[in-house]
Amino acid sequence: MEKIRISPRQLFCLIVLFELGSSLVIPLGADAGQDAWLAILAGLIAGLLIFQVYLYLYRQYPAIPLTGYIRKILGNVLGWPISLLYVAFFIYGSARITRDIGDLLFNSVYDETPLFLLHFLMLAAITYVLHKGFEVLARTGEVFFGIVMILVCVGILLVIFSGIVQFTLLQPVLENGWEPIFQAVVSQTYTFPFGQIICFAMILPYLAKPGRARRAGDDGVDCKRDHFKPDNRSGDFRSWR
């Protein structure tokens, strides 16, 4: 593997920015009606649970990414096609999100700018950052994390003080039972954005402090035992300390 190392704080910033992404402009859980907040919360819990699975696999194979240990677990016959499906899945997802953001910019601000040019500028910026290296992307994420958090906090405060927030619209809670919520979780909030956290299974091997992967992913969960002692014979992090 390349000698790339990112800090737990950088990993946390990347996860938060990734989860926000275009989900800020998409009506998540809309199928659940006024219970959309429950669908989002349930999707978050499901995302945290699946992240524990990725952490477990990372502990078993700390030196290789997802596409590597898939072939070790399933063998080359099944592992190679599944690895290719992973790549195809994110190529499709990236293309779709690029188009969605381009349409949003075109319809809201740049209605006189060709859509092709908007997409080209976004892809050019992405290509430039990736050319500089993943560590540069991680450091850039730290900078943008602070900017985004300030904008989010200001936006929330402005909405609250505007007086348009009406909590009565959330009632009645569970008017149609749990079924619409479960349907919204399966079809919307779990798969996007929380389910897509699988991409970080490719990034975890680059973490400078492997024992803090869970803390970075779980946003401050106390994990005093998350320190691994490497087995000198294999290089795997198998024992706890």
Side-chain angles (χ1 to χ4, degrees):
M1 290 180 59
E2 300 177 55
K3 293 183 179 179
I4 299 174
R5 288 294 177 263
I6 63 174
S7 68
R9 181 176 62 183
Q10 291 171 339
L11 176 64
F12 171 75
C13 292
L14 289 176
I15 291 177
V16 173
L17 293 176
F18 176 83
E19 291 299 323
L20 291 177
S22 59
S23 63
L24 293 174
V25 295
I26 294 178
L28 294 176
D31 293 346
Q34 71 269 21
D35 292 324
W37 65 278
L38 287 174
I40 296 174
L41 182 61
L44 170 61
I45 295 173
L48 289 174
L49 292 176
I50 197 65
F51 187 71
Q52 303 307 310
V53 176
Y54 303 143
L55 285 177
Y56 172 78
L57 292 172
Y58 167 57
R59 290 165 182 164
Q60 304 306 309
Y61 306 95
I64 55 178
L66 172 68
T67 52
Y69 58 69
I70 282 180
R71 298 197 298 272
K72 284 185 173 291
I73 296 173
L74 301 178
N76 287 329
V77 176
L78 292 177
W80 272 107
I82 294 178
S83 298
L84 291 176
L85 286 176
Y86 170 88
V87 175
F89 171 75
F90 274 98
I91 289 177
Y92 164 76
S94 300
R96 186 186 64 185
I97 292 173
T98 301
R99 178 57 189 256
D100 289 344
I101 296 177
D103 287 342
L104 174 65
L105 293 174
F106 178 80
N107 293 325
S108 59
V109 181
Y110 303 103
D111 55 325
E112 299 293 333
T113 304
L115 190 59
F116 168 79
L117 182 58
L118 294 176
H119 291 158
F120 174 78
L121 292 175
M122 285 190 290
L123 292 176
I126 293 170
T127 303
Y128 175 75
V129 173
L130 293 179
H131 173 71
K132 289 296 182 180
F134 188 76
E135 291 179 337
V136 173
L137 174 63
R139 291 194 295 269
T140 305
E142 282 187 287
V143 176
F144 277 96
F145 176 81
I147 297 173
V148 170
M149 288 301 102
I150 292 174
L151 293 177
V152 168
C153 292
V154 171
I156 292 175
L157 290 175
L158 290 176
V159 170
I160 292 176
F161 290 126
S162 68
I164 63 174
V165 178
Q166 300 181 35
F167 290 102
T168 56
L169 297 178
L170 298 177
Q171 298 175 349
V173 178
L174 297 176
E175 179 182 15
N176 299 312
W178 287 97
E179 183 177 354
I181 297 176
F182 288 141
Q183 291 178 350
V185 170
V186 173
S187 62
Q188 297 178 20
T189 59
Y190 169 67
T191 55
F192 176 83
F194 303 112
Q196 293 185 352
I197 202 172
I198 188 176
C199 71
F200 285 93
M202 298 289 292
I203 298 175
L204 288 175
Y206 299 118
L207 192 61
K209 298 179 180 179
R212 299 188 62 185
R214 181 180 176 186
R215 187 170 184 176
D218 287 352
D219 188 12
V221 175
D222 184 15
C223 301
K224 295 180 180 178
R225 297 182 61 199
D226 276 359
H227 296 280
F228 302 95
K229 183 178 179 180
D231 187 331
N232 293 330
R233 294 171 298 176
S234 62
D236 291 344
F237 293 84
R238 299 189 184 277
S239 57
W240 297 72
R241 162 175 89 168

